[in-house]
Amino acid sequence: MLAKAVADVPEPDSVKGGLRYEPKWDGFRGVVTIDGDDVEIGSRGAKPLTRYFPELVEAFRAQFGGRDHPVVLDGEVILRSGDQGAERLDWESLSQRIHPAASRIAKLSAETPAQFVAFDLLAVDGEELVDLPFDERRDRLESLASDMSDPLFVSRTTLDVDLAREWLTTFEGAGLDGVVAKPRTKAYEPGKRTMLKVKHHRTADVVAIGYRVHKSGSGVGSLLVGLYGDDGELRQVGGVSAFSDKRRLQLVDELEPVVLRDADGRPVTGDGERSRFSSGRDTSFVRLAPERVLEVRYDQMEGDRFRHTVQLERWRPDRDAESCGFDQLEVPSAYDLRDVLS
């Protein structure tokens, strides 16, 4: 079951039957099936995640194993870090849990254990619940939750739109991604965007520092962007992509004047940062003189980088590149993740 993005937290009467609001967790979507002592965790796209989280498998088995009928939960695999009173979601540590080596998985499962936040119940006690209204599924989930304990949680909900709007602001300090609104009377509809999600969106002026050639071999595939730190160093903070075929080719011509070249006139290239998701693809890029400024739209930061790919809003020929620093970014007030989970 998917969500459609909306600009603001919707009023409850905007959908027939009303809305129930939840925090939007920033982790791996997971549908969990516990059948006897067998536990399977599948991603939103049905990819198996079970082997990466043995500590969660043991928790599900300990808390729900041995039942006569399967339990099927929909929720989010998350990972929290930080000292008590200052915990927050840790996407970077969570992403490191997807690793091919069993020894590495075992090591990380002990050092950075994950948690699971359930927000829907699809089957229990021999009964399929997908055709029931969400309010009824939620009631059944809360009843089941009486047997749950850390590292398994149930996402909180509210019918109060004002409280949901407060969550949108305060929970970001714990690393959460926004707010989800769910129709109270709707059945569970896989693949359909019947839920509504509101995420944080902000803008920042950044410096174009390079571009990668599109996988087709022509045009700009993505722009690499940077910000100046307090030390005066220009740091890469993310990338901009999703250009049309026509726009990709136009960008090559527009950026030509600021392409850095060596003594022989050849473009200077750099090697981009790699991650476990790069899958061996070419991460090299054409370097640009730090002169062009663009305004981008982003949701939140992960350390000193944009959490997701950012979107180009407009070019800013009126801005000096040196003025594009981290100090322009809005920093959410800290909020303890444990208070969200409780």
Side-chain angles (χ1 to χ4, degrees):
M1 193 164 171
L2 307 176
K4 176 183 177 181
V6 294
D8 301 298
V9 179
E11 292 288 342
D13 58 3
S14 64
V15 171
K16 185 178 180 181
L19 293 168
R20 182 181 290 271
Y21 306 94
E22 298 179 2
K24 186 178 185 302
W25 300 92
D26 191 14
F28 295 156
R29 182 74 173 272
V31 176
V32 181
T33 302
I34 309 105
D35 189 358
D37 287 333
D38 293 331
V39 177
E40 294 293 336
I41 306 173
S43 73
R44 186 176 71 179
K47 293 182 178 180
L49 298 175
T50 312
R51 69 181 298 266
Y52 303 117
F53 300 102
E55 74 279 25
L56 289 183
V57 171
E58 289 304 314
F60 284 118
R61 185 176 290 139
Q63 297 185 35
F64 295 105
R67 289 171 172 257
D68 293 333
H69 303 284
V71 173
V72 183
L73 296 161
D74 190 2
E76 198 95 356
V77 178
I78 64 168
L79 197 151
R80 64 183 193 242
S81 65
D83 298 328
Q84 186 172 0
E87 287 187 348
R88 60 178 287 120
L89 294 177
D90 188 343
W91 168 262
E92 181 61 27
S93 295
L94 179 64
S95 66
Q96 292 176 12
R97 295 296 307 273
I98 308 301
H99 198 281
S103 59
R104 180 68 173 170
I105 291 171
K107 182 174 186 290
L108 292 178
S109 68
E111 294 179 351
T112 57
Q115 297 78 43
F116 182 81
V117 182
F119 44 66
D120 212 332
L121 180 63
L122 309 187
V124 69
D125 297 332
E127 184 181 358
E128 295 280 348
L129 307 183
V130 292
D131 292 329
L132 296 180
F134 176 56
D135 270 359
E136 293 187 36
R137 302 198 309 273
R138 175 71 195 192
D139 288 344
R140 298 286 290 272
L141 176 60
E142 290 179 1
S143 177
L144 185 72
S146 61
D147 296 325
M148 293 173 66
S149 59
D150 193 345
L152 308 182
F153 299 87
V154 173
S155 184
R156 61 171 63 184
T157 71
T158 184
L159 302 178
D160 185 342
V161 65
D162 292 328
L163 179 57
R165 287 169 177 153
E166 181 182 327
W167 287 354
L168 182 65
T169 301
T170 56
F171 286 0
E172 186 188 7
L176 276 80
D177 212 15
V179 167
V180 175
K182 299 182 177 180
R184 299 176 61 185
T185 61
K186 286 277 191 179
Y188 189 92
E189 299 178 286
K192 294 186 177 180
R193 296 189 181 275
T194 55
M195 302 185 295
L196 304 172
K197 63 181 178 182
V198 186
K199 298 180 66 175
H200 308 285
H201 289 295
R202 302 173 174 86
T203 62
D205 292 331
V206 296
V207 184
I209 61 175
Y211 71 81
R212 293 195 179 103
V213 176
H214 189 259
K215 60 184 180 181
S216 66
S218 63
V220 171
S222 60
L223 278 171
L224 305 184
V225 298
L227 288 170
Y228 283 96
D230 292 338
D231 56 3
E233 292 293 322
L234 183 59
R235 299 188 180 91
Q236 182 182 336
V237 294
V240 185
S241 58
F243 303 116
S244 67
D245 292 344
K246 180 180 179 180
R247 187 63 182 137
R248 285 199 295 266
L249 297 176
Q250 291 174 337
L251 282 171
V252 172
D253 294 334
E254 292 176 13
L255 296 172
E256 174 61 25
V258 291
V259 171
L260 291 176
R261 298 184 178 277
D262 61 20
D264 296 324
R266 294 172 299 196
V268 176
T269 60
D271 190 18
E273 298 177 353
R274 291 184 178 273
S275 73
R276 64 195 51 81
F277 304 112
S278 297
S279 301
R281 61 183 172 84
D282 183 11
T283 59
S284 63
F285 63 93
V286 176
R287 294 181 58 190
L288 302 175
E291 300 176 10
R292 299 289 177 88
V293 174
L294 56 154
E295 182 181 359
V296 297
R297 184 161 55 93
Y298 70 100
D299 45 23
Q300 60 184 151
M301 301 292 291
E302 178 78 17
D304 60 356
R305 294 180 61 86
F306 293 122
R307 169 71 176 78
H308 301 105
T309 301
V310 296
Q311 289 79 47
L312 174 63
E313 288 285 293
R314 55 178 174 160
W315 290 92
R316 293 294 305 267
D318 56 316
R319 287 295 303 269
D320 294 325
E322 291 80 4
S323 68
C324 299
F326 285 92
D327 56 353
Q328 69 180 296
L329 303 179
E330 179 184 347
V331 179
S333 300
Y335 196 91
D336 187 14
L337 178 62
R338 188 165 288 274
D339 289 339
V340 185
L341 290 169
S342 63

